[in-house]
Amino acid sequence: MFNFICVARFPKEEEQNLEDALPKGFLERIGYMGRVLDEFVPQSRILNHPSTGGFISHCGWNSIMETAAFWVLTIVMSIHLDQPMNARLMVELGVTVETVRDDGKIIRQEIAEILELVIKETRGENLRAKVRVINKNLKSIRGEKMDVVADEELIQLCKNITKLK
């Protein structure tokens, strides 16, 4: 049993060694507490496992749908393309917390504080309750209807952002 599984994926054109990408001594420090992988993992199987308590996600659409389907609390760390918009949607729906980066770099203290907030504080319970509602709603719609609902939510979010400017 592990406390965490971290998957670090690199662009296909980059030849990157996992140990070189991590802070010096990181793998030794975590020992058997966790696993850091640079290969494909069956994300849906991991998210569906009963001991999975949370997920730090890049916020791709499939990850959003899987976390909602399996009632997994998510902390989002968007990178590019549709991910920032997906993250904003999830934050607006009240089902996730987004991390802040410093010039693109992950802030260790920020991650620790958010984990503490969602695991031990009341806010985590509120997020879980909202994820359960989203899960129930997703189960009531399937296929094309889901895309229509997502499109409607994104349109509404864009309208709200425009009003704020």
Side-chain angles (χ1 to χ4, degrees), residues 107-126:
I107 305 168
R108 178 174 40 185
Q109 187 60 31
E110 170 82 6
I111 297 289
E113 288 172 7
I114 289 175
L115 285 169
E116 182 86 13
L117 175 79
V118 299
I119 292 171
K120 294 185 177 179
E121 304 288 328
T122 305
R123 183 151 183 208
E125 287 305 316
N126 294 339

Side-chain angles (χ1 to χ4, degrees), residues 88-138:
R88 177 63 31 222
L89 173 64
M90 300 308 286
V91 169
E92 290 288 325
L93 289 172
V95 297
T96 191
V97 177
E98 186 171 17
T99 61
V100 177
R101 292 177 185 236
D102 182 18
D103 196 26
K105 294 181 181 175
I106 298 167
I107 305 168
R108 178 174 40 185
Q109 187 60 31
E110 170 82 6
I111 297 289
E113 288 172 7
I114 289 175
L115 285 169
E116 182 86 13
L117 175 79
V118 299
I119 292 171
K120 294 185 177 179
E121 304 288 328
T122 305
R123 183 151 183 208
E125 287 305 316
N126 294 339
L127 293 170
R128 281 183 191 81
K130 289 181 180 181
V131 169
R132 283 191 287 277
V133 170
I134 295 290
N135 173 276
K136 183 178 175 185
N137 291 340
L138 286 176

Side-chain angles (χ1 to χ4, degrees), residues 4 7 24 36 51 62 75 83 85 93 103 115 117 121 124 128 143 148 155 160:
F4 70 90
V7 180
K24 186 176 181 171
V36 180
S51 67
N62 285 339
I75 297 169
Q83 297 164 1
M85 181 58 84
L93 289 172
D103 196 26
L115 285 169
L117 175 79
E121 304 288 328
R128 281 183 191 81
V148 170
I155 289 168
N160 290 342

